Amino acid sequence: MVICSCNSLTHKDVESAVAHGATRPSEIYASKRCKAQCGNCVPGVVCMLKEVRMRQRQAAETATHACLPVAVQAEALSA
């Protein structure tokens, strides 16, 4: 899906930039060597950034829980 038509920035570009460490919209634009031009895309970029970072955190938590013994998982859930 195209997030920014001025720069042909897609959701895949946002996901890739976040995977490579982007934590701010300006870093996402910089990864494509562009910048916001008309500004209409900024809310969409921010939303995608938040979504991708949330998915990364959830995946990390799931991976951490999968590595813990069952007793530790149960204790963590009850806390």
Side-chain angles (χ1 to χ4, degrees), residues 14-76:
V14 174
E15 290 171 353
S16 175
V18 173
H20 288 96
T23 60
R24 305 171 132 196
S26 60
E27 295 169 346
I28 292 170
Y29 290 107
S31 73
K32 277 282 280 188
R33 297 182 181 95
C34 64
K35 60 183 179 178
Q37 293 182 28
C38 72
N40 286 331
C41 60
V42 174
V45 169
V46 170
C47 184
M48 283 287 307
L49 173 63
K50 288 179 180 178
E51 286 179 20
V52 173
R53 292 191 71 208
M54 183 174 52
R55 278 188 267 144
Q56 284 180 336
R57 281 192 296 271
Q58 288 172 340
E61 288 174 8
T62 300
T64 299
H65 286 289
C67 295
L68 295 174
V70 175
V72 175
Q73 289 179 24
E75 183 180 315

